[in-house]
Amino acid sequence: MTAPWQIEEWIDDESRTAVEYADYWNDVEKYLQDVGLEPDLRRCIQLLAEDGRPIRGRGIDVAAGTLWAVPVLLEQSGVEHICCLEYSRHRLLELGPRMLTHYGVDPARVTLALGSFYDLHLPDASLDFAFLSQALPHADEPDVLLRELSRVLVTGGSVIIVGEHPI
């Protein structure tokens, strides 16, 4: 049964796809490939493995957004569980679960955490890795964020950062 919404199309497909960021809003998978976020994440995972430090165990996706990275992280053989931290209730609780369902992610392997990356409600040395995609520019206090990550990561834990502009 379709929703009882009245839908009007005010733009043709050619005009809609010409808008900057059209792929982001209309085909997130294509957007992630085109801007290189997913390939960059896969390359970072590969480089860590080649360095003898494959990601495994428990991790956190900081500023997780739509949770696009979770399926990629969970497909790594040693990854058990991911905490997805997001400040946006809409992204975390509405868009995120749809993304996870779309990719067939087992809900038992994911915790959705609504909160601030300055205050991780996790024990010291409780995580093996952290992932950040386009998160640092949103930190008014990046030093506080990085100290919090250092606190919750085990000694030798890995931090994967993608999607940041070179300085």
Side-chain angles (χ1 to χ4, degrees), residues 12-50:
D12 60 73
D13 284 342
E14 183 178 341
S15 299
R16 182 183 49 78
T17 57
V19 173
E20 188 175 12
Y21 302 113
D23 288 340
Y24 175 75
W25 297 112
N26 294 290
D27 187 344
V28 71
E29 291 166 328
K30 182 178 183 319
Y31 170 79
L32 293 170
Q33 287 297 318
D34 289 352
V35 300
L37 291 175
E38 184 177 332
D40 284 351
L41 171 55
R42 290 184 184 282
R43 181 72 176 131
C44 289
I45 292 169
Q46 177 187 357
L47 290 170
L48 283 167
E50 289 172 3

Side-chain angles (χ1 to χ4, degrees), residues 37 61-63 68-69 131-136 138 160-164:
L37 291 175
D61 183 351
V62 177
W68 67 266
F131 171 69
L132 295 87
S133 174
Q134 300 177 320
L136 285 176
H138 300 286
I160 300 170
I161 301 174
V162 301
E164 305 301 344

Side-chain angles (χ1 to χ4, degrees), residues 7-150:
I7 299 171
E8 298 178 5
E9 293 191 28
W10 292 3
I11 190 171
D12 60 73
D13 284 342
E14 183 178 341
S15 299
R16 182 183 49 78
T17 57
V19 173
E20 188 175 12
Y21 302 113
D23 288 340
Y24 175 75
W25 297 112
N26 294 290
D27 187 344
V28 71
E29 291 166 328
K30 182 178 183 319
Y31 170 79
L32 293 170
Q33 287 297 318
D34 289 352
V35 300
L37 291 175
E38 184 177 332
D40 284 351
L41 171 55
R42 290 184 184 282
R43 181 72 176 131
C44 289
I45 292 169
Q46 177 187 357
L47 290 170
L48 283 167
E50 289 172 3
D51 193 41
R53 300 180 309 140
I55 64 165
R56 58 174 61 127
R58 302 178 67 80
I60 187 168
D61 183 351
V62 177
T66 62
L67 285 55
W68 67 266
V70 173
V72 176
L73 295 167
L74 285 175
E75 74 185 24
Q76 307 311 305
S77 63
V79 175
E80 301 164 11
H81 191 270
I82 297 179
C83 178
C84 300
L85 175 66
E86 177 54 47
Y87 188 76
S88 165
R89 180 179 300 276
H90 172 71
R91 286 180 176 212
L92 183 71
L93 303 179
E94 293 181 38
L95 300 178
R98 290 179 183 178
M99 181 74 82
L100 298 178
T101 299
H102 172 74
Y103 285 105
V105 171
D106 178 0
R109 295 181 71 197
V110 177
T111 298
L112 304 180
L114 184 64
S116 166
F117 50 45
Y118 297 124
D119 183 23
L120 303 178
H121 290 228
L122 296 166
D124 294 354
S126 60
L127 298 177
D128 301 291
F129 68 92
F131 171 69
L132 295 87
S133 174
Q134 300 177 320
L136 285 176
H138 300 286
D140 294 331
E141 300 176 84
D143 55 324
V144 175
L145 166 58
L146 294 174
R147 269 198 306 276
E148 238 340 57
L149 289 177
S150 179

